[in-house]
Amino acid sequence: MSLLALVTGGLLAATPSVAAQQPASPAASHVKQLCAKPAKPGMMHCLALARTDVKQHRGISADAAAAPSGYGPADLQSAYNLPANAGSGATVAIVDAQDDPNAESDLATYRQTYGLPECSTANGCFSKVDQSGGTSYPTADSGWAGEISLDIDMVSAVCPQCHILLVEANSANMSDLGAAVNQAVSMGAKYVSNSYGGSEDSTDPTSDSSYFNHPGVAITVSSGDSGYGTEYPAASQYVTAVGGTSLSRASNSRGWSESVWGTSSGGNGAGSGCSAYDPKPSWQKDSGCSKRAVADVSAVADPATGLAVYDSYQASGWNVYGGTSASSPIIAGVYALAGTPAAGTAPASYPYAHPGSLNDVTSGANGSCSPAYLCTAGAGYDGPTGLGTPNGTAAFTG
């Protein structure tokens, strides 16, 4: 395969020991949702998407054709100008529903493959608890297990020195997931990633105050995978709503380019828009939403330019995953690299104080809407990508 084909495909993993297998081109990519859409209000679903047109395999061999497809840690660190050795000892919490019995062993495979330091229960880096902080784990679920693998692998990729706390909610009900968020904070996590969403409803402001109002804690939430339109809890006034981009290598000074994940005709793409119920936080100044606007910032989410993830629970090992389920833990990891949020502050406000320290995404759309900035990228703030993507960690400091 020519170097040009690898570059234009955008899925060459830059690791010292493992070469990337090239998936199909973005135009030919096919995906499936890992979790079913919620059937009733108050229920959430994970926002991970899996490529179905990429050859899957369980292990790694010396044969380059068996190496992981998708972006790896070196790619994300390069694309977002991230330090490799920051975040030591910081704990990033991952909140998901149901159990992944293979979470720790799958994490070990991912980290060993990419030469990352060990992160295990034995060395104190990895912890898994139920929503009450114990070990009575909920029922295992293959879809949520894939989500969990995506989340912990992305935190590992972005912040290899971080500790990881996995909190498994009893169900995908907002009350259980919210209890898991509170548990994560009570256990000392200053960064909490949530890669799930559901329809907005009139109880959302109550959920805000019950589960997400944690000053001094950076709580990130995926904006959604269905294009223009808002979901909860991304619409919470207390969280950093994370949109999604398509990320490709480029011959510019950065070495990468990004556009909105999605199309003007809708379909799969980053979520965005105006909340129907949540008030606008004081730091948001866009004029097209009287209430909370989504998103705040973004990172890669397009499965066509997706991430290498290892998931063996009722799955085939290495996969290429995407969705804003990827971008939320990426941004949580960047917050951890940036340092502990100041007590009593709102970390969601930090990027608004440092917009010049982000990569402004100015092309692409996730649907059709009015005012247009809520679904179409442009200079400055827009709905699908917020203020932009990380360019170092400065935009994520108080």
Side-chain angles (χ1 to χ4, degrees), residues 339-358:
T340 306
T345 64
S349 71
Y350 296 175
Y352 289 85
H354 308 283
S357 297
L358 294 158

Side-chain angles (χ1 to χ4, degrees), residues 15-252:
T15 69
S17 59
V18 180
Q21 174 193 348
Q22 178 67 13
S25 68
S29 64
H30 299 276
V31 300
K32 66 177 181 179
Q33 294 182 334
L34 293 188
C35 298
K37 289 279 191 179
K40 58 182 180 179
M43 296 296 293
M44 304 288 132
H45 70 119
C46 73
L47 293 165
L49 299 174
R51 288 279 293 271
T52 59
D53 56 345
V54 179
K55 181 180 179 182
Q56 300 173 327
H57 40 270
R58 186 167 294 278
I60 293 299
S61 72
D63 180 3
S69 301
Y71 290 136
D75 300 302
L76 293 179
Q77 291 165 14
S78 169
Y80 297 128
N81 189 27
L82 302 176
N85 297 313
S88 179
T91 296
V92 178
I94 297 298
V95 171
D96 283 309
Q98 309 307 139
D99 180 39
D100 177 5
N102 298 353
E104 185 169 0
S105 60
D106 284 355
L107 177 62
T109 298
Y110 180 88
R111 295 177 73 103
Q112 290 166 6
T113 299
Y114 288 109
L116 305 180
E118 177 187 350
C119 188
S120 65
T121 301
N123 71 1
C125 174
F126 177 78
S127 302
K128 184 174 88 168
V129 299
D130 61 32
Q131 70 181 51
S132 300
T135 56
S136 297
Y137 303 123
T139 304
D141 179 86
S142 60
W144 281 96
E147 174 64 62
I148 289 168
S149 293
L150 172 60
D151 291 342
I152 60 180
D153 287 358
M154 291 308 97
V155 172
S156 297
V158 169
C159 188
Q161 306 300 322
C162 282
H163 290 187
I164 298 173
L165 170 63
L166 171 60
V167 186
E168 296 182 335
N170 293 341
S171 76
N173 192 287
M174 187 65 250
S175 59
D176 284 333
L177 287 161
V181 171
N182 289 342
Q183 182 62 43
V185 175
S186 74
M187 295 178 70
K190 297 297 183 183
Y191 321 92
V192 183
S193 177
N194 304 268
S195 292
Y196 54 84
S199 299
E200 288 191 281
D201 65 56
S202 59
T203 67
D204 292 347
T206 301
S207 295
D208 280 355
S209 58
S210 297
Y211 309 128
F212 297 108
N213 185 11
H214 293 288
V217 178
I219 300 177
T220 63
V221 180
S222 304
S223 71
D225 291 349
S226 300
Y228 176 67
T230 53
E231 293 190 357
Y232 189 84
S236 169
Q237 62 179 309
Y238 299 117
V239 309
T240 300
V242 186
T245 67
S246 300
L247 174 69
S248 301
R249 296 183 182 276
S251 58
N252 54 22

